[in-house]
Amino acid sequence: MTGQFQLEVFQNEYLPEGAAEVNAIITVTATGSGAAKPAGPAAEVIIMDCSGSMEMPRTKLDEAKRATRAAIDALRDGVQFAVVNGMDIAEMIYPKRTRLVAANASTRAEAKRAVTAVRADGGTAIGEWLRLADQLFIGHSGSVKHAILLTDGRNEHETPEKLDRILKEVSGNFVCDCRGVGTDWEVGELRKVATRMLGSLDIVAEPAGLAADFRAMTAAAMGKDVADVRLRLWTPQGATIKYVKQVEPSLVDLTGRRVESAARSGDYPLASWGDESRDYHLCIEVKPAAVGDRMLAGRVSLLDGDDTVLGKAQVLAVWTDDTALSTRINPQVAHYTGQAELAEAIQEGLAARKSGDVETATAKLGRAVALATETGHEDTAKLLAKVVDIDDPVTGTVRLKRQVAKADEMTLDTRSTVTKRVRKPGGS
Amino acid sequence: MTCPRCGNVVEPSHRFCEECGLNLRQTRTPVGGPLGAAAACRGCGGDSFGPDGFCEQCGHVRPSGRDRMMADLGLVAGLSDRGRRRSRNEDSMACGVAFGAAGQPGPASAVVAVVCDGVASTERADSASQVAADQAADILLEAAAQSDFDAEAATSEAVAAAFEAVTELKRADESPSCTYVSAVVTGTEVTVGWLGDSRAYWIGDALQSEQLTTDDTVVSLLIAAGISEEDALNDPGAHALARWVGADAEEREPHVRTCSPAGSGVIVLCSDGLWNYLPTLGSLDAAVRADPRPPSQRSPSDLVDALVALALESGGHDNVTVVAVPFPIGDGGTT
């Protein structure tokens, strides 16, 4: 059963003479799932990093096991699931054979026993883990397909090219939320995996926090009931799509994920949906028309796995010589443009810091502080304050801290793409 | 006596032809405006539009029949164009010929023309101007077919009807409005009525030309109050309308005046989309006389074509509408 999808467009459709770039924020809100409705089919694969480093310290593996057991407990009856052991190869932890089994009291108990018995050994090859998960999901089309991937280290036992190749093969087949535990993993690497797999990314600096996080991820995945949602974008002849990004709840660039679907139309995967709301930023370059002309810069539709249209929206362009109209700034577009800039400033600032370019690092992180202050990103501002000493938060005058905890730096980097809704005027 | 449309025999006392339903007392432009044929996309020339009204090729909006509206009733002709800088045509016109009690195919008793310019700050300004023009034309044509026709009283009634029609478009958040100018032209007299800044001119063949209307704008009020034209034009709200047709208007009684020209000429009604390029009487007069023929001897459709083309060539910043009625009216050879 399909919920209700509502699409809202926020844009200033008025462009000055000669302008070509059309920006719009599309808010997609799904409602109508919930208690009254039977849950749709779901499939869940938990990938547990069992490389040798998980033994150092021993608590890491113990907490990972505890988290995995919590996730198994959160699976409702009937959900098809499996647990995978990630090393330099991928092996089944539960069940023994390469398949999914339906969750019930006895399979959940068996799975938890198998998880408890696992030993850490070997290396890290994330591509192999994803490939096994992908095989497990075969034959479950129409189900909400979700994986959790936990790792504590770099992808050392396969080449980046191989990981890229596998990501290309499997992305779009299932959603994978990624968690880095400790501080020995690579933020950029895991962010690539999470982004390509349309999942979230976070750091779990303290392994003790894992169980609650796993339970929450599993519960969220169980709340999804419309699988394989796609955003179809029609643009007129001669138009160029500069980008299509998810901008809320986190920044995910979908531009390169386009699959051509019809004349002048392409589909972008949005994975599974529950009762939730997400925002997308579309930036389309059109051929400027004459003042007074009105055109459709984009036709947006949302489709489910069976090509049923769930909702529609229009992105317009009207050229005018009335500057009072064309200079209006749409608050949603401005807000998310600012968020993208904030994330970029943090990521570039941290990269410069790592490479010893103090000047660039200070400038970028200072800009990030100013943006976070201006836009009310208190959480981000707090994380920034652990990396730089702030002299003036408004102008972004900062000094790099001499000593920065690895976990603080990684947390700031990891969470730079977490976004925040536009505050409604007068609202809370 | 036969119906001019189907040739069926008609009684002089009949108001409608019993065969084809033609109104024998009048002929007029269609309600909703003489919509133009707008088939091809202006962006790519294609003709395939989606159900949402946009070109499937290039995304341009389906051209509207209102983009260019043309009417030629022989005794009166009008042309209304979207211009080159506006996304919609919010000007409207309606015109018609009344045949008096004797009916068609007898001589025409009066020609009626109305031009309304929708105020662009409101949505549905195009609907406002069109219903105002259509309603007013109806009242004027009905009245002109009566034997005791009083053109000035009919003009006041027509404006009242226009007010009523436009007020029906009012919603909680907006009050569409428009200007109004009309002319009732007979063999001996010209009666004009107006509210707002759409204008009527008399262009004489030999007699001196004259602007028959005075703009209802803040600048005109200031000048009338004794302020210099230069200072008045510097007032930030100088070009704002002082009077208009709409639910939010205070003054509802139109200006009305009647004149009896002693010679031949042509009555020109227009929206500010024309007179912004020909602001003085002299410039408009010269534009009409650029053609060597006496103004009343040109076909009115030729005259309006030329004036609209001039506005478009000058930039076409606004919607432009021109209606022309040669004076005195001929004997009604309508086509």
Side-chain angles (χ1 to χ4, degrees):
Chain A
M1 193 173 145
T2 297
Q4 297 273 315
F5 281 74
Q6 201 194 342
L7 274 68
E8 273 178 286
V9 181
F10 300 95
Q11 68 160 147
N12 177 14
E13 68 260 41
Y14 292 102
L15 301 174
E17 187 163 16
E21 193 179 290
V22 183
N23 282 279
I25 301 297
I26 315 283
T27 294
V28 181
T29 306
T31 50
S33 63
K37 192 161 66 82
E44 179 80 44
V45 172
I46 303 165
I47 306 167
M48 222 173 103
D49 183 344
C50 297
S51 60
S53 60
M54 288 295 285
E55 295 267 27
M56 294 173 287
R58 172 82 210 189
T59 49
K60 237 189 321 193
L61 186 63
D62 290 343
E63 293 299 339
K65 288 178 176 179
R66 207 159 72 84
T68 303
R69 288 193 299 261
I72 292 168
D73 278 330
L75 297 169
R76 61 165 190 263
D77 281 355
V79 171
Q80 299 286 327
F81 81 106
V83 184
V84 167
N85 180 344
M87 300 174 294
D88 43 352
I89 52 162
E91 286 180 347
M92 296 300 292
I93 293 176
Y94 182 83
K96 290 286 170 230
R97 284 173 50 205
T98 308
R99 62 183 183 97
L100 300 180
V101 294
N104 58 42
S106 92
T107 54
R108 276 193 293 263
E110 281 170 35
K112 285 189 284 183
R113 273 198 297 278
V115 166
T116 306
V118 162
R119 298 211 177 153
D121 194 15
T124 305
I126 292 173
E128 290 291 340
W129 312 352
L130 294 170
R131 188 178 266 164
L132 177 56
D134 190 47
Q135 281 171 27
L136 288 165
F137 284 125
I138 289 171
H140 292 271
S141 61
S143 295
V144 168
K145 295 183 286 293
H146 179 249
I148 294 172
L149 186 156
L150 176 77
T151 184
D152 78 329
R154 291 187 186 84
N155 195 42
E156 286 171 330
H157 294 86
E158 64 191 4
T159 61
E161 292 74 25
K162 184 181 164 200
L163 176 59
D164 278 343
R165 204 168 57 238
I166 295 173
L167 279 172
K168 207 173 220 167
E169 276 168 39
V170 305
S171 76
N173 295 355
F174 59 98
V175 172
C176 184
D177 286 326
C178 299
R179 293 295 179 266
V181 60
T183 55
D184 294 327
W185 53 284
E186 198 67 53
V187 178
E189 188 175 79
L190 207 53
R191 174 179 291 135
K192 185 168 75 183
V193 175
T195 302
R196 296 291 296 273
M197 299 308 297
L198 299 172
S200 63
L201 169 70
D202 204 359
I203 179 170
V204 188
E206 290 304 318
L210 264 182
D213 189 28
F214 267 46
R215 199 178 301 119
M217 273 189 281
T218 314
M222 299 295 99
K224 315 275 182 196
D225 53 9
V226 185
D228 303 323
V229 177
R230 284 160 298 140
L231 183 152
R232 179 164 294 176
L233 177 60
W234 175 95
T235 46
Q237 205 165 44
T240 314
I241 294 159
K242 290 188 82 176
Y243 53 81
V244 175
K245 286 179 189 165
Q246 177 185 291
V247 289
E248 160 72 27
S250 62
L251 286 173
V252 182
D253 195 335
L254 299 169
T255 317
R257 306 295 301 280
R258 179 184 173 101
V259 177
E260 297 299 318
S261 53
R264 292 176 286 283
S265 296
D267 290 1
Y268 300 83
L270 307 186
S272 308
W273 283 67
D275 273 4
E276 62 187 303
S277 183
R278 301 182 204 169
D279 292 350
Y280 298 90
H281 187 165
L282 270 50
C283 183
I284 303 165
E285 211 167 75
V286 294
K287 240 169 44 195
V291 165
D293 277 355
R294 185 180 172 84
M295 71 181 274
L296 190 64
R299 202 183 267 133
V300 178
S301 45
L302 227 60
L303 308 166
D304 68 9
D306 305 324
D307 276 358
T308 305
V309 176
L310 305 167
K312 284 181 176 182
Q314 290 179 342
V315 178
L316 300 173
V318 181
W319 284 267
T320 178
D321 50 10
D322 184 346
T323 49
L325 292 175
S326 60
T327 55
R328 264 186 216 158
I329 291 170
N330 180 276
Q332 276 82 2
V333 172
H335 174 80
Y336 288 122
T337 305
Q339 298 230 313
E341 198 194 338
L342 174 58
E344 206 174 89
I346 291 172
Q347 288 168 25
E348 288 175 3
L350 290 176
R353 187 180 165 280
K354 212 176 272 178
S355 67
D357 181 352
V358 175
E359 205 180 322
T360 305
T362 309
K364 293 282 182 190
L365 293 171
R367 176 77 188 133
V369 167
L371 282 169
T373 308
E374 189 185 316
T375 53
H377 280 76
E378 292 92 0
D379 293 345
T380 308
K382 267 182 218 157
L383 295 173
L384 278 161
K386 291 181 177 172
V387 178
V388 292
D389 289 315
I390 300 167
D391 293 333
D392 183 346
V394 176
T395 58
T397 312
V398 303
R399 285 166 291 122
L400 299 187
K401 277 187 192 291
R402 277 181 193 285
Q403 295 289 329
V404 175
K406 188 85 191 288
D408 288 336
E409 185 189 327
M410 287 176 72
T411 306
L412 175 61
D413 194 352
T414 305
R415 297 196 180 151
S416 62
T417 51
V418 175
T419 56
K420 236 178 108 160
R421 273 258 144 78
V422 181
R423 279 174 295 186
K424 295 250 167 69
S428 53
Chain B
M1 201 166 157
T2 57
C3 170
R5 183 158 73 192
C6 68
N8 185 47
V9 175
V10 292
E11 295 294 320
S13 59
H14 286 177
R15 291 190 61 189
F16 298 94
C17 168
E18 291 193 340
E19 187 67 24
C20 73
L22 178 74
N23 186 333
L24 299 169
R25 304 283 173 85
Q26 60 171 254
T27 173
R28 59 156 292 177
T29 50
V31 171
L35 299 183
C41 172
R42 304 198 328 159
C44 66
D47 59 359
S48 163
F49 296 94
D52 52 6
F54 292 98
C55 175
E56 289 290 357
Q57 288 281 334
C58 73
H60 277 249
V61 71
R62 179 200 292 273
S64 160
R66 294 187 56 79
D67 285 353
R68 194 169 167 92
M69 299 185 279
M70 228 175 302
D72 186 0
L73 302 178
L75 298 183
V76 50
L79 180 55
S80 179
D81 194 283
R82 191 181 75 142
R84 296 197 164 151
R85 316 283 284 185
R86 292 289 176 92
S87 52
R88 290 190 300 186
N89 185 5
E90 295 174 339
D91 281 2
S92 294
M93 62 181 179
C95 33
V97 178
F99 290 90
Q104 294 191 53
S109 62
V111 169
V112 161
V114 186
V115 168
C116 293
D117 177 353
V119 178
S121 58
T122 55
E123 276 294 319
R124 298 178 297 136
D126 49 354
S127 310
S129 62
Q130 190 64 56
V131 298
D134 280 335
Q135 281 297 318
D138 260 353
I139 300 286
L140 292 171
L141 286 168
E142 275 297 318
Q146 309 300 320
S147 51
D148 57 347
F149 177 45
D150 175 344
E152 294 201 349
T155 299
S156 287
E157 275 174 49
V159 170
F163 261 100
E164 208 170 298
V166 171
T167 301
E168 278 179 24
L169 298 176
K170 183 178 155 61
R171 287 186 198 146
D173 54 338
E174 59 175 33
S175 182
S177 53
C178 63
T179 69
Y180 175 93
V181 62
S182 67
V184 177
V185 184
T186 65
T188 54
E189 282 182 342
V190 178
T191 299
V192 296
W194 73 97
L195 275 173
D197 67 353
S198 296
R199 290 181 178 176
Y201 293 91
W202 157 256
I203 308 294
D205 286 349
L207 294 171
Q208 194 162 11
S209 297
E210 191 183 347
Q211 181 179 331
L212 302 174
T213 53
T214 50
D215 299 340
D216 279 321
T217 52
V218 171
V219 65
S220 303
L221 291 179
L222 291 175
I223 293 168
I227 291 167
S228 79
E229 188 172 339
E230 194 184 339
D231 287 350
L233 282 168
N234 280 331
D235 189 281
H239 293 282
L241 288 179
R243 298 171 79 176
W244 62 89
V245 177
D248 55 350
E250 285 166 17
E251 181 59 63
R252 294 177 169 224
E253 198 52 41
H255 309 275
V256 181
R257 72 177 275 201
T258 298
C259 51
S260 312
S264 55
V266 63
I267 308 296
V268 175
L269 305 188
C270 65
S271 61
D272 61 347
L274 175 68
W275 68 252
N276 273 330
Y277 295 111
L278 303 167
T280 61
L281 172 65
S283 59
L284 190 122
D285 185 67
V288 174
R289 288 182 204 285
D291 187 290
R293 289 169 288 181
S296 73
Q297 297 306 304
R298 290 170 73 179
S299 80
S301 68
D302 175 58
L303 195 149
V304 299
D305 260 351
L307 291 178
V308 169
L310 193 148
L312 295 177
E313 281 158 20
S314 307
H317 268 78
D318 201 350
N319 308 143
V320 50
T321 302
V322 184
V323 177
V325 189
F327 176 88
I329 61 169
D331 55 9
T334 57
T335 47

